Amino acid sequence: QFLVDALQRAGIGEMASQVLTMLVGEGAKIDVHGCKTVDMASSFGKALLEFTFIVMAAITLLLGINAAKSKAAGKVLFPVTFVTGISSIAYFSMASGGGWVIAPDCRQLFIARYVDWIITTPLLIICLGIVAGVDKWDIMALCLSDVLMVASLAAGALTVGNVKWVWWFFAICWLLHIIFSLGKSWAESAKAKGGESSSVYSKLAGIIVISWFLYPVVWVFAEGFGNFSVTFEVLIFAILDVISKAIFGLILMSGANTGYEAI
């Protein structure tokens, strides 16, 4: 609001202030946790949630149709179909006004996002495990690290003070285990499997490693320090979700040149 008032005093015009308000959002007057105002998603943020829901739902339909074509396709595509399907439900929840609470640091916190992540990210690891041909126990170990990573970020978002950063540190530890495994032993397994597995795995693992590394970085400036407005947070996380889930699914759907049997 301070920036909006400054723009108006500077004579820049009502249109510029409206655009800034749309992007930054307006502090809602909600008496929770002793907050005088709460940073809430603006109308633009809500539109972003609606748009991401539509994208995820459309990709889910496309993946589901292709997964049903053959047994080999289903083995590869059904897990990621559930990923985008669950994500679309989470985004529908957030877009329709639900799935959030007021965090102790006076921000709108979308709990539905963490519920989405704690279910869908292990499914993404399962997809990578299928492509790489790793042992089921290796997949289970990485899924557990993933669940603990997401749970740590959620716990940190719901706390204030120094303990918030302890939770963030825990999340980074679990993330490093995931990145190291995907880049080392799983990559070697995909290469040893032969066929098209190595090239497909490299693309998918690259998407996961880069996007998952960015999630806790964004978290630092959003749920962490609160530098990012909730609306900007919605924008960045939506982009990362589309890349790590929808784009991931489309690349997996393209399969190998010789068919899904080669993966």
Side-chain angles (χ1 to χ4, degrees):
Q1 186 62 43
F2 171 78
L3 291 175
V4 174
D5 293 340
L7 284 172
Q8 292 175 340
R9 289 195 298 270
I12 294 178
E14 184 66 23
M15 181 176 295
S17 65
Q18 289 178 352
V19 171
L20 185 60
T21 301
M22 178 184 70
L23 290 172
V24 176
E26 296 180 349
K29 297 184 182 300
I30 303 177
D31 187 14
V32 179
H33 302 305
C35 302
K36 294 181 179 179
T37 60
V38 174
D39 186 6
M40 306 278 288
S42 67
S43 57
F44 178 64
K46 295 174 183 177
L48 285 171
L49 293 171
E50 293 169 356
F51 176 75
T52 309
F53 157 68
I54 294 172
V55 170
M56 291 295 188
I59 296 297
T60 300
L61 180 61
L62 181 61
L63 291 173
I65 292 173
N66 281 271
K69 288 183 177 180
S70 68
K71 183 177 180 179
K75 178 183 177 182
V76 174
L77 292 181
F78 271 132
V80 76
T81 303
F82 282 107
V83 167
T84 54
I86 293 169
S87 186
S88 68
I89 293 173
Y91 271 95
F92 176 78
S93 172
M94 293 184 286
S96 60
W100 61 272
V101 297
I102 301 300
D105 56 356
C106 303
R107 288 174 61 91
Q108 183 181 23
L109 177 64
F110 288 104
I111 292 296
R113 177 183 293 138
Y114 289 95
V115 174
D116 170 7
W117 290 347
I118 209 164
I119 299 173
T120 59
T121 51
L123 290 174
L124 290 172
I125 288 178
I126 291 173
C127 289
L128 287 172
I130 292 173
V131 174
V134 297
D135 183 83
K136 63 180 180 180
W137 297 111
D138 291 332
I139 296 176
M140 185 180 298
L142 228 57
C143 285
L144 180 58
S145 290
D146 175 65
V147 169
L148 291 172
M149 176 186 69
V150 176
S152 296
L153 289 176
L158 288 167
T159 58
V160 292
N162 293 332
V163 69
K164 176 188 290 285
W165 300 107
V166 175
W167 284 116
W168 181 84
F169 175 77
F170 289 159
I172 293 299
C173 290
W174 299 119
L175 175 61
L176 290 176
H177 173 225
I178 294 170
I179 291 176
F180 180 79
S181 297
L182 295 181
K184 181 68 175 173
S185 58
W186 286 40
E188 293 173 352
S189 178
K191 185 176 181 180
K193 186 180 177 182
E196 299 287 340
S197 297
S198 182
S199 61
V200 174
Y201 175 83
S202 295
K203 296 175 185 177
L204 298 176
I207 288 177
I208 292 301
V209 169
I210 294 173
S211 61
W212 285 18
F213 175 79
L214 292 174
Y215 276 107
V217 173
V218 175
W219 189 96
V220 167
F221 297 101
E223 277 94 344
F225 291 119
N227 300 117
F228 291 166
S229 69
V230 172
T231 297
F232 190 68
E233 171 194 323
V234 167
L235 172 63
I236 301 300
F237 278 141
I239 292 173
L240 291 176
D241 280 346
V242 169
I243 292 173
S244 64
K245 298 174 184 177
I247 302 300
F248 180 101
L250 292 175
I251 292 176
L252 190 58
M253 186 180 70
S254 67
N257 296 328
T258 54
Y260 293 105
E261 290 82 0
I263 300 179

